[in-house]
Amino acid sequence: MSALSSLSAAVERTVHTHAARMATAVIALVIAFLWIPIAVLVFMSFAAGGVLSFPPEELTLEWYRVFLTNDAAIDAIVTTITISVPATIITVTLSTMIAYAIDRYVFPGRDWLQMLATLPIIVPLVVTGVAMVLFFNGTLGLPEYVSVVVAHVIRTIPFATLVILPTFLTFDRRLEEASKDLGADELRTFWQVTLPNIVPGIVAGGLLAFTLSFNEFVYTYFVKGSGDPTLPVYIWNQIRYNVTPEVNVISVVFLVVAVTMVLVAVSLTRVDLLTRQ
């Protein structure tokens, strides 16, 4: 028992002394595990050969030119945008209403609304995809385009809501009270006082929603039929049938769009407040 206590004390002293360095090492390993494959992908987008072998024998910008002149890839980008833009608009509208209701009012079903708004994050993507195929295509018989847009809205609403909600939490309600004291009703106060002050959060939520919609594959793959593919589906088809470094180029485009929009979204709102609620 004494030996066990001594061993426990020694371990405790070691952890206490080297905790900061151990934590730094673990974080560095995790970051390396996540980003080294992405760095390799970016590097391989400059590979001259048509075979995906590392390291490449020669570097070139040829595959970027091939991508820019690939009509099928450009059509896939256009199809993705025609889905992502309306899905983002609908998502931002609904997420703003949900965040406003959750923050400002107490009503029956408030907790259920908050749970339902974030539930798609928890449910496995494949399960939701199968459910949407059965419900949208089998039960409702929705057109393909409508089904895909609705699927993207379902996918993006939780994230947009979690980004927009902190904007309401940090809003100074005394401004609304002053507006009402001056005779403005609830609707006029929202449009002229509340909305202008929460625009950064709405823009951030919209950017994040667009990024997620632009990158969405699973829901699209299940719901979309044989029409023009979105860019993620196009990449999947290329990987299955014709692997070239052009796939890496398209992946780099995805990476740049996603990282840029997420960084802008984070800079426009204080998502750290969610951890304090």
Side-chain angles (χ1 to χ4, degrees):
M1 189 66 180
S2 177
L4 183 60
S5 299
S6 300
L7 178 61
S8 177
V11 171
E12 184 177 352
R13 286 194 301 270
T14 302
V15 172
H16 180 75
T17 304
H18 303 287
R21 285 190 288 269
M22 293 170 62
T24 301
V26 171
I27 293 173
L29 287 174
V30 171
I31 293 175
F33 180 79
L34 293 174
W35 283 99
I36 287 179
I38 296 176
V40 171
L41 180 146
V42 174
F43 180 70
M44 288 300 296
S45 69
F46 300 100
V51 180
L52 297 178
S53 59
F54 184 85
E57 297 179 358
E58 185 181 353
L59 301 180
T60 180
L61 293 174
E62 176 66 17
W63 292 106
Y64 283 85
R65 185 193 65 79
V66 171
F67 167 70
L68 294 175
T69 57
N70 187 338
D71 292 336
I74 301 303
D75 289 342
I77 293 176
V78 173
T79 299
T80 305
I81 293 175
T82 59
I83 292 172
S84 298
V85 170
T88 299
I89 295 173
I90 296 172
T91 294
V92 169
T93 302
L94 294 178
S95 297
T96 302
M97 295 170 62
I98 292 171
Y100 185 79
I102 291 174
D103 179 60
R104 299 300 170 87
Y105 300 104
V106 177
F107 53 89
R110 178 175 177 269
D111 293 337
W112 283 98
L113 175 62
Q114 188 170 4
M115 184 190 71
L116 290 175
T118 57
L119 189 61
I121 297 178
I122 303 172
V123 179
L125 298 180
V126 174
V127 174
T128 306
V130 172
M132 287 191 294
V133 170
L134 297 176
F135 186 65
F136 293 160
N137 300 344
T139 305
L140 298 182
L142 295 178
E144 177 185 304
Y145 176 78
V146 176
S147 298
V148 176
V149 171
V150 174
H152 281 220
V153 170
I154 294 173
R155 173 64 172 157
T156 54
I157 273 185
F159 299 94
T161 301
L162 292 176
V163 169
I164 295 174
L165 184 57
T167 307
F168 285 102
L169 297 175
T170 58
F171 179 73
D172 189 354
R173 296 194 186 184
R174 291 175 296 181
L175 297 175
E176 292 180 335
E177 295 172 359
S179 175
K180 294 175 182 178
D181 289 341
L182 293 174
D185 58 18
E186 188 82 21
L187 184 59
R188 186 175 180 182
T189 297
F190 178 81
W191 282 107
Q192 297 187 359
V193 178
T194 308
L195 187 60
N197 284 279
I198 64 172
V199 164
I202 293 176
V203 173
L207 290 174
L208 183 58
F210 179 82
T211 303
L212 292 170
S213 178
F214 193 84
N215 297 327
E216 178 54 42
F217 169 75
V218 177
Y219 288 3
T220 307
Y221 189 80
F222 274 95
V223 176
K224 192 169 178 60
S226 58
D228 294 333
T230 60
L231 195 55
V233 176
Y234 174 80
I235 293 177
W236 171 250
N237 292 334
Q238 292 298 304
I239 292 174
R240 293 174 63 191
Y241 303 117
N242 185 28
V243 180
T244 68
E246 184 188 5
V247 174
N248 293 334
V249 173
I250 301 174
S251 300
V252 171
V253 173
F254 267 114
L255 180 65
V256 171
V257 171
V259 171
T260 301
M261 290 198 171
V262 169
L263 289 177
V264 173
V266 170
S267 68
L268 288 175
T269 188
R270 297 186 59 191
V271 295
D272 57 297
L273 286 178
L274 289 174
T275 61
R276 306 178 190 175
Q277 301 307 310

